[in-house]
Amino acid sequence: MAQSRRVNPKEFFGELKRRNVYKVAIAYGVVAWLLMQIASQIFPFFEIPNWAVRLVVLLLIIGFPVAMILAWAFELTPEGIKRAEDVDLSESVRRKTGRKLDFFIIAVLLLVIAILLFQRLHPNVSPAVSSSPEKSIAVLPFENLSRDPDNAFFTDGVQDEILADLAKVADLKVISRTSVMLYKSGNPRNLREIGQQLGVAHVLEGSVQRTANRVRVMAQLIDARTDAHLWAQTYDRDLADVFAIQSEIAKTIADQLQARLSPAEKAAIEQRPTADLVAFDLYVRATALIDAEPGSPTGTEDLLQAVSFLGQAIVRDPAFLLAYCRLAGAHDRLYLLGIDHTPSRLTLADTAVKNALRLGPDSGDAHLASAQHLYSNLDYDGARAEIGVAHRTLPNNPRIFELSGYIDRRQGRWEESTRNFERALDLDPRNVPTLRSIADTYSSLRDYAKAGAVFDRVLAFKPDDPDILLTRAFLNVDWKADTRPLHALVETMLKDNPGSAERIAPTWLYLAFCEHDSVAAARALAVFGNKTSGPDAVQFGRAFFEGLLGRMKGDAATAHAAFTQARAAQEQIVQAQPDYGPALCALGLIDAGLGRKEDALHEGRRAIELLPVTKDSINGAHMIEFFAIIAAWVGEKDLACEQLAIATRLPSSSLSYGQLKLFPSLDPLRGDPRFEKIVASLAPKKGSP
């Protein structure tokens, strides 16, 4: 029996090398990459359909094994192409062909490097568009064509529901409401710029006209890279059919973008939020109030009004799940921000969450509301579990990643926190609160250069935002103990817009204290009103700051009277929530100002026990910081320096070089070598910008 001849691997690979198969593979790869770049960059500008790009890629993939077979089987000779077996090895020109391939590969690689360098050095040449996922979209605010301006809320609701329906499709990237609302209808729109700014390939525009019991909705899908109109439709129906219109538009857009739509996603899109249009209108109005940027003068009133609207909506439709979710979020925010940090407010949020979960046990919105509620209760592990459930049906909800970032930060996972905030920004790139959260994280880590870069990112699209301008200038105080930029900005704002004094009063007051300017501090307090100010959960009212001003001026009688007034108010807060560390911490500092040494020290220690760093890395650090100030005020300098040494080793947004060096609350420690050493440890390093 004849035996089969074994193939020697060394001989086989040697033959591959001799026949230039390796070099052909490399040459094919770099040329294919160039062709794919040309197709993806050039085709859209000539409005060549997207399937053509995919066809080019498919043909190049299919062509690779064909090229390898041809390189093995044939040889290019002076007489033309011949089969490799027909060419005498002594007459073969493969070596010359190999050298030509070498030169060709080097030339193409140099071209590739040149293209990559150009993209790196010219990042403004359509960077977002070129990297935008094909299945990405921003649903821009629709235009209200109704005569009644109150129908603007209804128009926003139609746009918002289409956006929410599309956001349920996992195969799409959908930009969140907060970012798209910056492009309100009525303003000129450059869709290519909007696509670049939001990082999407497509935008949806439209209009709504509501007349009596009729509604007309027009929508059009546009390729943001080319301004090409891909689809348009007008729906003219009974008002009761508005939710069906929204679902039809969402499903059509998903089909136009060739997104995979699971049966569960299709069912979710077709589900109506409510059958009551009045309830829906109340819900939309409440949403606008809740989503307004925090920090506005009417912030508290807006939240309370939103609670009222949502309550009315639920009375009209007790099965309105989304209204319960929003209501829980409003109650939780009132509780978490310390506006109403009482058990009764928490109970109201808890009831709303339970109703949402009862109505929709599998609803992602209900589980996300539950996650927010658990976060407000400092149950971070429970909140994480609920976020995991919510993410299954809310793939494009940036709140999933934003809340994860907050939890990471509270638990001291600072790097993970930043990554989650960035993931949230991918879906909501112009969300100012999220951008501020990243900047606050960098400030807590005392990386002020990165914090400044984030604020500059916000100012690029909101150059006149007073809060961002003030916070950006504030960095110089924290970072370098330099009050000059903030001082100049405050003076300019007061001069150009005297009506802004009340809004900027907390920052103006802080600046005055850092500069030990009692006159400016008194002016700021005159317009301070009923606001509170302080780091995160530790908040102080006007009477406390009047006491601090008295201390700074050496006016013991004024300070004592003011602290006495502040204590009466703070004691009521503590009685309502005796186990709330931040409230007890504030009472301890007031008692220190009144000379109640033992009470102050007890309250400071108790605050640390109630809210340790392991439970809340942000406010836990504040408990230690304020206990150090309490100790300094009652004459316990050893204890004060000991606590400050601990606090400065922790991330903190308030315990900065500028605060230690300038703020009057630490004046009792000035000149103490231990304290001065701590201050020097936070000073900016030589050579820093």
Side-chain angles (χ1 to χ4, degrees):
M1 175 184 267
Q3 292 184 344
S4 60
R5 181 176 177 272
R6 288 189 176 184
V7 177
N8 188 326
K10 289 185 178 180
E11 292 180 1
F12 174 70
F13 288 114
E15 191 65 14
L16 284 176
K17 183 177 179 181
R18 190 189 71 79
R19 299 189 185 201
N20 295 317
V21 175
Y22 293 139
K23 293 179 180 179
V24 171
I26 295 171
Y28 189 96
V30 292
V31 170
W33 183 87
L34 277 175
L35 291 175
M36 286 188 286
Q37 289 293 307
I38 293 170
S40 62
Q41 298 290 331
I42 302 301
F43 282 20
F45 289 99
F46 291 98
E47 299 188 16
I48 298 174
N50 291 324
W51 61 261
V53 178
R54 292 190 287 272
L55 178 62
V56 169
V57 174
L58 181 61
L59 291 175
L60 289 170
I61 293 172
I62 294 173
F64 180 76
V66 175
M68 298 302 96
I69 293 171
L70 293 175
W72 171 269
F74 295 93
E75 180 176 344
L76 181 63
T77 70
E79 291 80 23
I81 298 175
K82 294 184 178 180
R83 289 181 57 84
E85 289 80 0
D86 298 336
V87 179
D88 191 327
L89 292 180
S90 62
E91 299 177 356
S92 175
V93 294
R94 286 188 181 273
R95 187 179 297 275
K96 294 180 180 179
T97 305
R99 284 197 296 270
K100 292 179 181 179
L101 278 173
D102 288 339
F103 290 129
F104 176 77
I105 291 170
I106 292 170
V108 176
L109 283 175
L110 288 174
L111 181 59
V112 169
I113 293 170
I115 292 173
L116 293 174
L117 284 174
F118 179 82
Q119 291 177 341
R120 175 65 63 89
L121 296 174
H122 296 81
N124 294 323
V125 182
S126 303
V129 171
S130 64
S131 62
S132 300
E134 182 63 30
K135 300 177 184 179
S136 59
I137 187 169
V139 182
L140 301 183
F142 280 22
E143 184 179 1
N144 174 34
L145 299 181
S146 307
R147 293 181 179 179
D148 186 352
D150 283 345
N151 282 331
F153 288 105
F154 180 79
T155 299
D156 289 345
V158 172
Q159 173 240 354
D160 198 27
E161 282 303 302
I162 295 171
L163 190 159
D165 285 342
L166 286 170
K168 296 169 185 173
V169 182
D171 199 31
L172 291 177
K173 173 188 174 182
V174 183
I175 299 301
S176 184
R177 179 181 189 276
T178 307
S179 289
V180 298
M181 291 307 287
L182 295 174
Y183 303 96
K184 267 288 191 181
S185 60
N187 299 323
R189 288 173 172 170
N190 183 319
L191 297 185
R192 291 198 186 197
E193 287 185 3
I194 291 174
Q196 292 174 14
Q197 291 163 358
L198 298 180
V200 294
H202 303 91
V203 296
L204 182 71
E205 289 191 304
S207 63
V208 178
Q209 185 174 9
R210 176 178 176 178
T211 307
N213 293 322
R214 300 289 296 179
V215 63
R216 173 177 291 177
V217 179
M218 189 281 291
Q220 56 181 353
L221 178 66
I222 301 165
D223 190 320
R225 300 162 296 187
T226 64
D227 283 330
H229 287 60
L230 306 179
W231 168 88
Q233 184 71 43
T234 298
Y235 302 82
D236 195 345
R237 299 184 187 173
D238 289 338
L239 186 60
D241 290 335
V242 66
F243 296 121
I245 295 173
Q246 292 163 184
S247 298
E248 287 181 33
I249 292 174
K251 287 187 289 186
T252 302
I253 296 302
D255 183 63
Q256 288 288 324
L257 298 183
Q258 300 182 8
R260 295 184 300 273
L261 201 62
S262 71
E265 290 169 346
K266 184 174 181 293
I269 289 174
E270 293 174 347
Q271 186 175 10
R272 296 186 175 193
T274 177
D276 190 312
L277 288 176
V278 176
F280 180 71
D281 185 67
L282 289 164
Y283 167 79
V284 172
R285 290 172 184 267
T287 296
L289 293 170
I290 292 171
D291 288 347
E293 285 188 24
S296 66
T298 60
T300 300
E301 291 80 1
D302 286 348
L303 281 175
L304 293 173
Q305 183 64 68
V307 168
S308 175
F309 283 152
L310 291 166
Q312 295 173 54
I314 288 168
V315 169
R316 294 190 63 91
D317 181 4
F320 197 168
L321 183 148
L322 292 178
Y324 283 113
C325 294
R326 278 293 187 172
L327 182 60
H331 285 312
D332 278 325
R333 188 181 295 185
L334 287 165
Y335 178 83
L336 193 60
L337 296 179
I339 297 169
D340 183 14
H341 196 91
T342 61
S344 59
R345 182 63 65 180
L346 204 58
T347 299
L348 290 170
D350 190 63
T351 301
V353 168
K354 288 178 179 176
N355 279 319
L357 289 170
R358 172 180 56 81
L359 291 167
D362 298 323
S363 164
D365 291 290
H367 284 283
L368 184 56
S370 177
Q372 173 65 61
H373 183 57
L374 291 169
Y375 173 79
S376 300
N377 276 286
L378 306 186
D379 182 357
Y380 301 134
D381 292 335
R384 278 189 191 281
E386 288 291 82
I387 286 173
V389 176
H391 191 215
R392 297 171 195 164
T393 54
L394 300 176
N396 284 288
N397 193 317
R399 184 63 181 162
I400 296 283
F401 305 109
E402 184 185 10
L403 187 55
S404 297
Y406 287 134
I407 294 171
D408 286 330
R409 196 165 64 179
R410 295 284 177 181
Q411 293 185 322
R413 290 193 287 266
W414 298 87
E415 291 184 6
E416 293 89 336
S417 171
T418 301
R419 282 197 292 270
N420 270 312
F421 285 139
E422 288 290 0
R423 292 178 72 186
L425 287 170
D426 185 49
L427 296 168
D428 202 357
R430 297 204 158 192
N431 187 308
V432 175
T434 305
L435 286 162
R436 292 194 68 150
S437 293
I438 293 180
D440 288 343
T441 297
Y442 286 134
S443 293
S444 295
L445 296 171
R446 302 184 180 93
D447 192 340
Y448 300 108
K450 287 185 179 179
V454 175
F455 285 123
D456 291 340
R457 182 172 164 185
V458 179
L459 290 170
F461 63 86
K462 296 193 75 175
D464 300 321
D465 187 293
D467 294 325
I468 300 300
L469 288 168
L470 287 169
T471 309
R472 179 67 177 88
F474 207 118
L475 283 180
N476 288 283
V477 181
D478 282 335
W479 186 3
K480 304 174 183 178
D482 182 2
T483 62
R484 290 171 297 178
L486 183 59
H487 185 106
L489 181 60
V490 168
E491 289 297 319
T492 299
M493 287 182 170
L494 292 173
K495 179 182 178 182
D496 294 345
N497 182 15
S500 67
E502 182 179 353
R503 178 166 186 169
I504 70 172
T507 303
W508 185 14
L509 180 61
Y510 185 88
L511 171 67
F513 278 132
C514 285
E515 295 182 332
H516 283 65
D517 186 341
S518 58
V519 174
R523 289 175 61 202
L525 281 171
V527 294
F528 193 82
N530 295 321
K531 288 184 287 295
T532 62
S533 183
D536 210 84
V538 185
Q539 294 291 304
F540 299 96
R542 174 176 172 172
F544 170 81
F545 292 113
E546 289 175 340
L548 184 58
L549 177 57
R551 278 183 62 95
M552 187 176 76
K553 293 166 60 178
D555 187 344
T558 298
H560 190 276
F563 283 137
T564 300
Q565 181 183 350
R567 191 181 197 283
Q570 192 66 28
E571 195 170 26
Q572 290 183 0
I573 296 173
V574 171
Q575 287 174 355
Q577 41 196 335
D579 294 328
Y580 185 46
L584 198 60
C585 163
L587 180 61
L589 189 54
I590 293 169
D591 276 339
L594 289 169
R596 301 165 61 115
K597 179 176 180 178
E598 296 306 320
D599 288 339
L601 291 172
H602 171 73
E603 288 151 357
R605 287 192 175 96
R606 178 62 178 154
I608 293 175
E609 293 172 2
L610 290 170
L611 195 58
V613 175
T614 53
K615 191 173 183 180
D616 182 341
S617 67
I618 296 176
N619 284 309
H622 293 326
M623 298 303 98
I624 300 173
E625 295 165 19
F626 280 103
F627 184 49
I629 298 173
I630 289 170
W633 282 19
V634 299
E636 294 289 340
K637 291 188 177 183
D638 291 347
L639 179 60
C641 290
E642 172 193 297
Q643 294 300 307
L644 280 178
I646 295 171
T648 52
R649 290 195 292 269
L650 300 170
S652 172
S653 60
S654 63
L655 197 60
S656 63
Y657 172 66
Q659 174 163 324
L660 289 178
K661 191 172 182 63
L662 302 175
F663 209 70
S665 60
L666 291 166
D667 283 353
L669 296 177
R670 304 208 183 280
D672 188 303
R674 295 165 298 179
F675 174 72
E676 299 301 337
K677 183 178 179 181
I678 293 171
V679 175
S681 71
L682 296 183
K685 303 297 183 288
K686 291 183 178 180
S688 62

